Amino acid sequence: MSKVVSLNKVKGLFKDDMTIMIGGFLGCGTGEALIDTLIESGAKNLTIIGNDTSFVDKGIGRLIVNNQVKKVIASHIGTNAETGRLMNEGKLEVELSPQGTLIERVRAGGFGLGGILTPTGVGTLVEENKEKITVEGVEYLLELPLRANIALIKGSVVDDFGNTIYKGTTKNFNPMIAMASDIVIVGSQTLVEAGTLNKDMIMTPGVVVDYIVREGK
Amino acid sequence: MSKVVSLNKVKGLFKDDMTIMIGGFLGCGTGEALIDTLIESGAKNLTIIGNDTSFVDKGIGRLIVNNQVKKVIASHIGTNAETGRLMNEGKLEVELSPQGTLIERVRAGGFGLGGILTPTGVGTLVEENKEKITVEGVEYLLELPLRANIALIKGSVVDDFGNTIYKGTTKNFNPMIAMASDIVIVGSQTLVEAGTLNKDMIMTPGVVVDYIVREGK
Amino acid sequence: MNPKEIIAKRVAKEFENNQLVNLGIGLPTLTANYIDKDIKVTFQSENGMVGMGKLAVDDEIKTDITNAGGQFVTIGDEGAFFDTSMSFGLIRGGHVDVTVLGALEVDQHGNLANWIVPGKMVPGMGGAMDLVVGAKKVIVAMLHTVKGKSKILKDCVLPLTAKGVVDMIITELAVMEVTKEGLLVKEISESISVKELQDMTDAKLIIPENLVYMKV
Amino acid sequence: MNPKEIIAKRVAKEFENNQLVNLGIGLPTLTANYIDKDIKVTFQSENGMVGMGKLAVDDEIKTDITNAGGQFVTIGDEGAFFDTSMSFGLIRGGHVDVTVLGALEVDQHGNLANWIVPGKMVPGMGGAMDLVVGAKKVIVAMLHTVKGKSKILKDCVLPLTAKGVVDMIITELAVMEVTKEGLLVKEISESISVKELQDMTDAKLIIPENLVYMKV
């Protein structure tokens, strides 16, 4: 059975209260056709994990504006005024994590680690409610893994087995998110036959990919 | 000043008692010209960190046979009978680490993490002298970072700024080792001009590379 | 059919479509030869690839493509190369569906001992400890006894590779599942009786009413 | 020369050959325009590249190549792309030689506050907390005062970005190093006296005998 399916097919996967990880950095590397589909699904009370909440008209930002999100776990929300407004009105929960910590938490979730020790955030508000562990005289925060029900990935070139190449700075959170979610959906900018990709360029092996859809350019 | 130097130039970098990380998996991905040079340097009492001790006539195995090594940190020594013999005679200290743990320790050393929590090794001899940390009811071992004075890397295609592409299964420990050492020396199988590599294939950015030497094919 | 062939053939029936599989060296590797044509699995080699094919011969050989035993291998269209960190991310992160390994001892609690041979050299655990902790299903494939002594114990005596990780044991005599209650025999060889099987097994076996013969 | 230009020019003198540098948005980014031609530094953009060049214009624009502010940029011959995990490996792992950031407050202990503006929206720390903890040298580049009030305090009042991480503070009036003893003034603007500088600074300044004028 081919992994390549229609956007309509994956629409049925989105349910209320799910946790969804979405790749992208200010929208660069986010699959907008997948965002369209998630919006069309009408799924509510979502927990979204991603680097930022992008802009009001782009990527994750559009889900915020459409009131589908209950909670956001991100490193930055400053480029999307709606995120802040909804947060201040008590309509949206925001958990801020330093960017390097956030990606390590996603990686830990995908790589089967119970957590990582980072010096980032020690002595700041970030350490609230976290265990501090001292190794060789240096204090670290124990940061815990993150996982999701679904990952939305954007691939620059994808083969029909799901092997994925990311061009330029579209990589960002995508490769790690693909490891940390139960269902992985890749939006392919260019779709090719398995066996045609340079195997040294593949950052997400098709073995972790469940569905492939077509993204626009 | 160019990073591209002669093997003779890097020979002077090797000193007694140093800790050296060496890429390769049973010798695949190990720079043999760099091993030659390390042997010629005569540096003794080395601590070597790598996946395995290869075979007696290959890669790290040759350093063992040449009695330059005081301690080995590896996941496997079974393919090199000399490692076991020297260990049993008390002439070589061997620290065994599960392969997935070993690479995470190297990564932690290179990525500025204080350690990682892994389920691997819980309830086995591996947990001796290690802190156990329970997260959400599951026990993990706290495994600590590893760093080295020098990393010996083998790159399939390297540009003269040090940007490095690894072909096939030569990647193994190389990309992480390059992040976890004070001095990084890359043995280039093919040397090209900066700007000619596909920037989406580079696993070791030149910014972490100090010296480039020429490896044979 | 020799005992190892029986084991390899029976293990091969456990694989399902689209699974990612990691096979230990020796007997486990043989299982790849007996997988049904309709079942498409992808093999991982922990030194850095998925989609591993057969051993490379003649002009198939590329010196940059080796398996975890250092042999030259081929890679399929669905394959990809990566570094050790990613490889063990796949393993420890639960992305490997099945791993098949040999054992020195296994016990009714699912404990596994396969890395230290007493009195012999300690080769190191390599990737085995991560594999058995991380893979979704751990199958031990081995001869039922060695020199007449059971390898399936009440409690492992040798140093463990991991605690409580084994899901299934397949020998030339039986297929057993590790359950909370103990070792449940799912299939038994036509060549022996239930009593004979128990006599050859140190651990107490649970025999269900619907016990069937092992088909290979 | 306006104050921001003075600061940017003076910061630019801190860069050394072959360094990997990360510049915060705003004033820190301006420093790139004033680096001596003989000094070759490589810029990191934490969203996933080293070797970042200038903003891309016209047919230089590739929509897959953006900076941490989401703008289209170019990449130099020495550059490489990578994912966020690698990017922050470089940052937290000490591979970034210098980072230059703005601040709301900085104090004599090297504490830094630049992520929460009281009473305003909290934008999030992004990569700033990792950068100041990980980079080998942290330079705060900012105006000496805001609305006549010193931004250089005995102790930060705002929530911290990180504790004890700042190495150097460069304002339009002075260059200061954070030492164990406190803030050591290395250079002072010709436009003011030592007393005036201290009067405009909340933290106690250490004035060495060999104090020199700030040259830009």
Side-chain angles (χ1 to χ4, degrees):
Chain A
M1 204 187 63
S2 171
K3 294 178 183 178
V4 182
V5 298
S6 68
L7 284 162
N8 209 42
K9 171 77 192 286
V10 299
K11 184 156 64 182
L13 299 170
F14 302 120
K15 309 288 179 201
D16 291 352
D17 304 306
M18 273 187 163
T19 296
I20 302 182
M21 288 184 181
I22 302 178
F25 192 109
L26 295 178
C28 178
T30 305
E32 297 291 347
L34 281 168
I35 299 288
D36 287 340
T37 306
L38 179 47
I39 287 172
E40 284 166 26
S41 81
K44 297 273 181 215
N45 286 322
L46 302 174
T47 295
I48 301 292
I49 301 173
N51 178 64
D52 53 73
T53 55
S54 193
F55 306 97
V56 290
D57 57 351
K58 211 173 171 188
I60 295 173
R62 298 198 284 141
L63 301 171
I64 303 284
V65 170
N66 200 38
N67 288 306
Q68 291 180 266
V69 186
K70 176 183 65 181
K71 180 177 178 180
V72 163
I73 304 177
S75 78
H76 200 271
I77 57 167
T79 53
N80 185 334
E82 273 299 282
T83 309
R85 193 183 64 78
L86 290 168
M87 181 176 71
N88 288 340
E89 289 178 7
K91 290 175 179 163
L92 176 65
E93 186 187 345
V94 175
E95 179 182 332
L96 290 170
S97 203
Q99 203 167 130
T101 299
L102 184 57
I103 195 68
E104 284 297 317
R105 294 175 68 193
V106 172
R107 181 179 182 273
F111 278 47
L113 300 175
I116 56 102
L117 304 190
T118 179
T120 304
V122 170
T124 76
L125 294 176
V126 169
E127 73 176 40
E128 267 177 30
N129 302 318
K130 285 175 191 155
E131 196 173 338
K132 273 204 245 185
I133 292 175
T134 300
V135 178
E136 289 171 15
V138 181
E139 272 193 338
Y140 297 94
L141 299 186
L142 172 58
E143 293 276 4
L144 302 181
L146 290 172
R147 284 193 61 87
N149 302 110
I150 297 183
L152 303 186
I153 303 299
K154 182 179 180 188
S156 304
V157 191
V158 183
D159 76 23
D160 54 20
F161 189 69
N163 290 306
T164 300
I165 288 172
Y166 306 97
K167 288 191 182 167
T169 56
T170 69
K171 300 172 183 64
N172 52 68
F173 274 55
N174 281 301
M176 288 305 164
I177 281 179
M179 296 289 284
S181 303
D182 301 335
I183 299 173
V184 176
I185 310 173
V186 177
S188 61
Q189 212 168 22
T190 301
L191 186 62
V192 300
E193 252 182 79
T196 57
L197 294 182
N198 180 334
K199 292 177 170 60
D200 292 319
M201 290 187 76
I202 295 166
M203 288 189 82
T204 296
V207 289
V208 304
V209 172
D210 299 289
Y211 299 98
I212 303 158
V213 298
R214 285 163 206 270
E215 275 286 340
K217 292 285 157 187
Chain B
M1 206 186 64
S2 171
K3 294 179 183 179
V4 181
V5 298
S6 68
L7 284 162
N8 210 43
K9 171 77 193 287
V10 299
K11 185 157 62 182
L13 298 171
F14 302 121
K15 310 288 179 200
D16 291 354
D17 304 306
M18 274 188 163
T19 297
I20 302 181
M21 290 185 180
I22 303 178
F25 192 109
L26 294 177
C28 178
T30 305
E32 296 291 348
L34 280 169
I35 299 288
D36 288 340
T37 307
L38 180 47
I39 287 173
E40 284 166 27
S41 81
K44 297 275 182 212
N45 286 321
L46 303 174
T47 296
I48 300 292
I49 302 173
N51 179 62
D52 53 72
T53 55
S54 192
F55 307 97
V56 290
D57 58 351
K58 210 173 171 186
I60 295 173
R62 297 198 285 142
L63 301 172
I64 304 284
V65 170
N66 200 38
N67 290 306
Q68 291 179 265
V69 186
K70 176 185 66 180
K71 180 177 179 180
V72 163
I73 304 177
S75 77
H76 200 270
I77 58 167
T79 53
N80 185 335
E82 273 300 282
T83 310
R85 193 182 65 75
L86 290 169
M87 181 175 71
N88 288 340
E89 289 179 5
K91 290 176 182 163
L92 175 66
E93 187 187 345
V94 175
E95 179 182 332
L96 290 169
S97 201
Q99 203 167 130
T101 299
L102 184 57
I103 195 69
E104 285 297 317
R105 294 175 67 192
V106 173
R107 181 179 182 274
F111 277 48
L113 300 174
I116 57 101
L117 304 189
T118 179
T120 303
V122 170
T124 77
L125 294 176
V126 170
E127 72 177 39
E128 268 176 29
N129 302 320
K130 283 176 193 155
E131 196 174 339
K132 273 203 242 185
I133 293 175
T134 300
V135 177
E136 287 169 18
V138 181
E139 272 192 338
Y140 297 94
L141 299 186
L142 172 58
E143 294 275 6
L144 302 182
L146 290 173
R147 283 192 61 87
N149 302 111
I150 298 183
L152 302 186
I153 304 299
K154 183 181 179 187
S156 304
V157 192
V158 182
D159 75 23
D160 53 22
F161 188 69
N163 289 306
T164 301
I165 287 172
Y166 306 97
K167 288 192 181 167
T169 56
T170 68
K171 300 173 183 62
N172 53 68
F173 274 55
N174 281 302
M176 289 305 164
I177 281 179
M179 295 289 285
S181 304
D182 301 334
I183 299 173
V184 177
I185 310 173
V186 177
S188 61
Q189 213 167 22
T190 302
L191 187 61
V192 300
E193 252 181 78
T196 57
L197 294 182
N198 181 333
K199 292 177 171 57
D200 292 319
M201 291 187 75
I202 295 167
M203 288 189 81
T204 295
V207 289
V208 303
V209 172
D210 298 290
Y211 300 98
I212 304 158
V213 298
R214 284 162 205 272
E215 275 286 338
K217 296 283 158 186
Chain C
M1 228 181 316
N2 70 45
K4 288 193 177 175
E5 215 173 316
I6 294 171
I7 298 168
K9 280 192 169 178
R10 181 56 191 83
V11 169
K13 287 178 194 279
E14 289 300 312
F15 303 131
E16 293 168 26
N17 233 348
N18 291 322
Q19 284 185 327
L20 179 59
V21 174
N22 186 300
L23 302 177
I25 51 172
L27 171 53
T29 297
L30 293 180
T31 66
N33 301 326
Y34 301 110
I35 300 172
D36 192 285
K37 275 176 211 155
D38 297 335
I39 303 294
K40 171 85 181 142
V41 302
T42 301
F43 292 106
Q44 190 208 25
S45 190
E46 66 265 30
N47 59 314
M49 78 173 104
V50 288
M52 182 171 62
K54 292 186 187 300
L55 291 180
V57 288
D58 302 332
D59 58 358
E60 289 171 350
I61 290 176
K62 297 203 173 90
T63 55
D64 288 340
I65 307 180
T66 56
N67 66 13
Q71 299 164 298
F72 300 123
V73 290
T74 59
I75 184 165
D77 282 347
E78 82 280 25
F81 297 111
F82 34 71
D83 76 338
T84 304
S85 142
M86 176 67 177
S87 194
F88 282 82
L90 286 168
I91 287 169
R92 209 180 30 235
H95 305 278
V96 172
D97 296 293
V98 185
T99 187
V100 184
L101 310 93
L104 298 166
E105 296 175 353
V106 58
D107 71 24
Q108 60 197 17
H109 313 291
N111 296 330
L112 171 68
N114 74 349
W115 78 287
I116 295 187
V117 189
K120 285 200 185 169
M121 245 210 3
V122 178
M125 67 294 278
M129 284 192 179
D130 297 287
L131 269 163
V132 296
V133 165
K136 280 189 204 139
K137 182 171 180 175
V138 175
I139 302 177
V140 167
M142 62 174 192
L143 295 172
H144 205 91
T145 57
V146 59
K147 294 174 187 169
K149 279 187 64 181
S150 173
K151 296 173 75 174
I152 303 170
L153 309 180
K154 286 189 186 67
D155 292 285
C156 285
V157 177
L158 294 174
L160 296 185
T161 305
K163 273 183 83 166
V165 293
V166 176
D167 297 294
M168 184 174 257
I169 306 166
I170 298 180
T171 74
E172 75 281 21
L173 299 180
V175 176
M176 291 147 282
E177 258 181 36
V178 179
T179 71
K180 279 178 193 164
E181 290 72 36
L183 286 182
L184 177 68
V185 182
K186 302 288 284 187
E187 301 172 22
I188 184 169
S189 166
E190 293 193 41
S191 67
I192 55 166
S193 69
V194 166
K195 181 175 182 311
E196 284 168 328
L197 181 67
Q198 181 62 77
D199 287 349
M200 295 171 81
T201 311
D202 181 56
K204 177 87 181 77
L205 298 173
I206 303 169
I207 310 294
E209 288 191 14
N210 59 346
L211 183 64
V212 298
Y213 285 125
M214 195 171 156
K215 293 248 166 58
V216 291
Chain D
M1 227 181 318
N2 70 47
K4 287 192 178 175
E5 217 174 314
I6 295 171
I7 298 169
K9 280 192 171 177
R10 180 57 191 83
V11 168
K13 288 178 194 279
E14 288 300 311
F15 303 132
E16 293 168 25
N17 232 350
N18 290 321
Q19 283 186 327
L20 180 59
V21 173
N22 187 301
L23 301 177
I25 50 172
L27 171 54
T29 297
L30 293 180
T31 65
N33 300 326
Y34 300 109
I35 300 173
D36 192 285
K37 277 176 207 156
D38 297 337
I39 303 293
K40 172 86 182 142
V41 303
T42 301
F43 292 106
Q44 189 207 25
S45 190
E46 66 264 29
N47 59 313
M49 78 173 102
V50 286
M52 182 171 61
K54 294 185 186 299
L55 291 180
V57 288
D58 302 330
D59 58 357
E60 288 171 349
I61 290 176
K62 298 205 174 89
T63 56
D64 289 341
I65 306 180
T66 55
N67 66 14
Q71 299 164 298
F72 300 124
V73 288
T74 59
I75 183 166
D77 282 348
E78 81 280 25
F81 296 112
F82 34 72
D83 76 337
T84 304
S85 142
M86 176 66 176
S87 193
F88 282 82
L90 286 170
I91 287 170
R92 210 181 27 234
H95 304 279
V96 173
D97 296 292
V98 184
T99 188
V100 184
L101 310 93
L104 299 166
E105 296 174 355
V106 57
D107 70 24
Q108 60 197 16
H109 314 290
N111 295 330
L112 171 68
N114 72 348
W115 77 289
I116 295 187
V117 189
K120 285 202 184 166
M121 247 208 8
V122 179
M125 67 293 279
M129 284 192 179
D130 297 287
L131 269 164
V132 295
V133 165
K136 280 189 206 141
K137 181 171 181 175
V138 175
I139 301 176
V140 167
M142 61 175 192
L143 295 173
H144 204 91
T145 57
V146 60
K147 294 174 187 169
K149 279 187 64 180
S150 173
K151 297 173 75 176
I152 303 170
L153 309 180
K154 287 190 185 67
D155 293 284
C156 286
V157 177
L158 294 174
L160 296 185
T161 304
K163 273 182 83 164
V165 293
V166 177
D167 296 295
M168 185 174 256
I169 306 167
I170 298 180
T171 73
E172 75 280 21
L173 300 180
V175 176
M176 291 148 281
E177 258 182 37
V178 179
T179 71
K180 279 180 193 160
E181 290 72 35
L183 286 183
L184 177 68
V185 181
K186 303 285 285 187
E187 301 172 21
I188 185 168
S189 166
E190 294 193 39
S191 67
I192 55 167
S193 69
V194 166
K195 180 175 183 309
E196 283 167 330
L197 181 67
Q198 180 63 76
D199 287 347
M200 297 171 79
T201 310
D202 181 55
K204 176 89 181 77
L205 298 173
I206 302 170
I207 310 294
E209 289 192 14
N210 59 345
L211 182 64
V212 297
Y213 285 124
M214 196 171 157
K215 293 246 166 60
V216 292

